[in-house]
């Protein structure tokens, strides 16, 4: 079983790697769908989605840990 701190560190590490992939992807994907942005706009969008991803990943990990301990 993971502690809350371990869950957070795992979620943060996973998301940090995803952050760089997502940021780079915005320069490729946005123009493909006709969205014109700047590097700073891409960064802000990536930051917002990164925060959401950390919260989602941490919450799911805690739910799975709680569910596993009930069995």
């Amino acid at each position: 079983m993971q502690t809350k701190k371990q869950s957070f560190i795992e979620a943060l590490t996973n998301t940090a790697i995803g952050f760089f992939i997502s940021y780079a992807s915005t320069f490729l994907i946005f123009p493909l769908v006709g969205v014109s942005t700047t590097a700073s706009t891409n960064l802000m969008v990536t930051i917002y989605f990164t925060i959401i991803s950390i919260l989602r990943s941490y919450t799911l990990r805690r739910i799975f840990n709680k569910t596993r301990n009930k069995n």
Side-chain angles (χ1 to χ4, degrees):
M1 178 173 147
Q2 284 185 326
T3 65
K4 290 180 180 182
K5 182 178 178 182
Q6 289 170 327
S7 294
F8 181 73
I9 291 170
E10 178 184 341
L12 192 61
T13 302
N14 185 24
T15 306
I17 293 166
F19 175 87
F20 293 105
I21 294 169
S22 294
Y23 182 61
S25 297
T26 60
F27 291 97
L28 198 85
I29 295 169
F30 285 173
L32 287 175
V33 295
V35 177
S36 177
T37 64
T38 63
S40 61
T41 300
N42 290 356
L43 181 60
M44 289 306 298
V45 169
T46 303
I47 288 170
Y48 286 128
F49 281 118
T50 298
I51 292 167
I52 292 166
S53 182
I54 291 169
L55 294 173
R56 183 199 70 236
S57 183
Y58 174 79
T59 300
L60 284 173
R61 175 59 62 187
R62 297 313 307 158
I63 290 169
F64 283 122
N65 274 331
K66 188 178 280 191
T67 303
R68 188 178 339 155
N69 289 333
K70 287 185 179 181
N71 295 330

